[in-house]
Amino acid sequence: MPVITNIDDLKRLHKRRTPKMFYDYCESGSWTEQTFRENVSDFDQIRLRQRVAVDMEGRSTATKMIGQDVAMPVALAPVGLTGMQRADGEIKAAKAAEKFGVPFTLSTMSICSIEDVAAHTTKPFWFQLYVMRDQDFLKNIIQRAKDAGVSALVLTLDLQILGQRHKDLKNGLSAPPKLTPAVLADLATKWSWGLEMLQTKRRGFGNIIGHAKNVDDPSSLFKWTAEQFDPRLDWGKIEAIKEMWGGPLILKGVMEPEDAVMAAKTGCDAIVVSNHGGRQLDGALSSIRALPPILDAVGDSVEVHLDSGIRSGQDVLKAIAMGAKGTYIGRAFVHGLGAMGEEGVTKALEVIHKEMDISMALCGRKHIEDVDRDILRVPEDFAGRWA
Ligand code: GLV
């Protein structure tokens, strides 16, 4: 068993053990990948203030996200095709999250279905929704989430059309993969992935197949997002979905203060400052840079979370110190899953927890609620001078 000390260790194993098509799907941004890169490099610009002679005993990273207890302010982000990174991937990740005490968010574009994940877990999870043109499908999937005991709906606002990620087009991304000579040559070096996949029936989009009408090729993410996703999503439709759902609602994908104010006005429980991991609008700001003006604009009217760019517990701590009440990890947990299945997701959570806990202590804080802007050194020009 290799010694894992950080998320990069898991990332290397993920790359070695997972078909290129799926590793690349995870590790890419749209077009030039500028936003994808800056999501990470902008966190590096923020420094921590080392404090001394502060009693560090009795620390805790436990807190709440939308009123729900969490072992640390980190949820697993919705990630499409997680069950292609490793057989039954969503079930494995959900189990690891449940044991750790953090929320797991199931993507609409998952391989394991809502019902499958519910059958293999004991605590409620969160469900991420894409708004579809087909009203019957939409009503039905919201009802399925209710029936499965989902405890929050995470509505994604920034993907009514899919951003272009060059690698996915070049690799011919599909679920399951089409067995071309290039894919077969790649699979020959990833045999344990293949053996596990042969033992599961979950190899297509579990929430869609058998539920959505008029899907030409259910294995193609590009085709079916183009056919099914509703490009007419607006604030009125968001209100309608809020009504239909009737439970805790998180609006994900907000990057500008005016949109954050509109989102808060819906009465949702939280908004997520997110650029979809740099996978949608390339050239958008990093999410950590977008966060402060959004916090200024919404004040205490809504809980603000952040995703995109978090690869360590120090990143989580920085986001919390800047004012976010919660964060999400996507790639960081997928690297764990691709590397070592459920055990790898647990490892990713442990790595992040340890990094956060030790950094919090060395900054002189014992509880998440005491973490504030005072532990940071933020460059004066961090917000940028944009005309
Ligand atoms: C879907 O959520 C994607 O980013 O591919």
Side-chain angles (χ1 to χ4, degrees):
M1 156 84 119
V3 178
I4 304 293
T5 59
N6 57 39
I7 297 297
D8 262 350
D9 288 344
L10 293 169
K11 181 173 165 181
R12 270 189 295 276
L13 287 176
H14 176 202
K15 185 169 188 181
R16 199 183 306 156
R17 295 179 178 172
T18 311
K20 180 175 180 333
M21 167 187 306
F22 301 119
Y23 175 81
D24 282 354
Y25 171 72
C26 165
E27 197 52 20
S28 55
S30 54
W31 288 320
T32 70
E33 300 192 331
Q34 179 186 36
T35 301
F36 168 62
R37 287 188 301 276
E38 289 181 358
N39 277 336
V40 173
S41 59
D42 282 351
F43 268 110
D44 295 341
Q45 290 191 33
I46 302 172
R47 305 294 153 80
L48 297 164
R49 293 180 67 220
Q50 172 176 305
R51 301 297 305 277
V52 294
V54 180
D55 176 2
M56 296 179 182
E57 207 161 76
R59 296 188 308 281
S60 167
T61 58
T63 180
K64 287 185 191 291
M65 285 170 75
I66 58 162
Q68 301 179 16
D69 288 323
V70 291
M72 60 180 173
V74 177
L76 300 199
V79 179
L81 285 80
T82 294
M84 281 288 124
Q85 302 291 349
R86 194 86 175 201
D88 305 331
E90 290 89 0
I91 292 174
K92 288 174 180 155
K95 283 183 161 177
E98 168 171 304
K99 288 181 197 149
F100 205 90
V102 294
F104 169 75
T105 318
L106 184 72
S107 165
T108 298
M109 311 295 291
S110 61
I111 302 298
C112 304
S113 67
I114 304 176
E115 293 78 10
D116 254 348
V117 174
H120 288 87
T121 48
T122 58
K123 291 188 200 138
F125 54 93
W126 294 355
F127 178 66
Q128 172 270 339
L129 180 69
Y130 283 123
V131 182
M132 308 280 172
R133 294 173 195 266
D134 178 348
Q135 285 301 298
D136 291 341
F137 177 84
L138 191 64
K139 283 189 192 132
N140 185 253
I141 202 160
I142 291 177
Q143 190 57 47
R144 288 167 63 198
K146 284 186 197 172
D147 294 346
V150 162
S151 60
L153 190 73
V154 179
L155 184 61
T156 299
L157 304 184
D158 62 359
L159 197 150
Q160 292 321 105
I161 43 174
L162 194 67
Q164 178 168 313
R165 303 98 193 226
H166 300 322
K167 287 175 230 163
D168 294 348
L169 296 179
K170 293 191 166 119
N171 289 332
L173 176 74
S174 71
K178 298 207 165 51
L179 298 177
T180 62
V183 168
L184 284 170
D186 182 38
L187 287 184
T189 65
K190 316 280 167 57
W191 53 269
S192 68
W193 178 92
L195 282 182
E196 277 189 16
M197 274 297 164
L198 286 175
Q199 288 165 42
T200 183
K201 291 199 200 81
R202 303 178 185 101
R203 293 195 286 259
F205 290 104
N207 288 325
I208 312 302
I209 297 169
H211 295 277
K213 294 178 285 228
N214 310 320
V215 181
D216 253 13
D217 175 6
S219 70
S220 165
L221 179 71
F222 320 116
K223 273 201 154 183
W224 94 248
T225 48
E227 281 162 11
Q228 298 284 320
F229 286 23
D230 191 346
R232 300 158 306 178
L233 179 65
D234 58 15
W235 294 108
K237 289 197 174 171
I238 294 167
E239 280 293 347
I241 288 167
K242 183 170 184 293
E243 291 283 296
M244 234 188 272
W245 164 244
L249 178 70
I250 300 174
L251 296 180
K252 173 175 178 284
V254 177
M255 285 292 289
E256 293 295 333
E258 54 268 54
D259 288 338
V261 168
M262 289 298 287
K265 277 193 191 147
T266 65
C268 65
D269 296 80
I271 60 172
V272 189
V273 177
S274 166
N275 52 41
H276 215 105
R279 301 163 69 79
Q280 285 296 100
L281 181 63
D282 189 35
L285 281 186
S286 65
S287 57
I288 192 64
R289 278 207 203 199
L291 177 68
I294 287 182
L295 287 165
D296 290 345
V298 300
D300 290 334
S301 63
V302 70
E303 198 167 301
V304 178
H305 299 169
L306 174 138
D307 81 10
S308 305
I310 293 191
R311 304 289 188 274
S312 76
Q314 289 210 331
D315 296 338
V316 175
L317 191 69
K318 289 172 183 175
I320 299 296
M322 293 283 266
K325 289 280 175 273
T327 64
Y328 298 72
I329 50 168
R331 294 182 180 92
F333 93 79
V334 173
H335 292 327
L337 179 72
M340 305 193 306
E342 180 182 334
E343 204 187 331
V345 178
T346 302
K347 195 69 194 168
L349 289 167
E350 285 170 357
V351 162
I352 288 194
H353 179 262
K354 187 171 179 187
E355 289 166 345
M356 182 178 17
D357 176 53
I358 294 178
S359 306
M360 182 173 81
L362 293 174
C363 288
R365 300 291 198 272
K366 290 208 286 196
H367 300 283
I368 292 296
E369 280 64 33
D370 304 330
V371 170
D372 58 12
R373 180 73 174 65
D374 198 47
I375 71 164
L376 301 179
R377 286 197 194 284
V378 182
E380 265 175 18
D381 58 351
F382 190 67
R385 292 169 138 265
W386 312 100

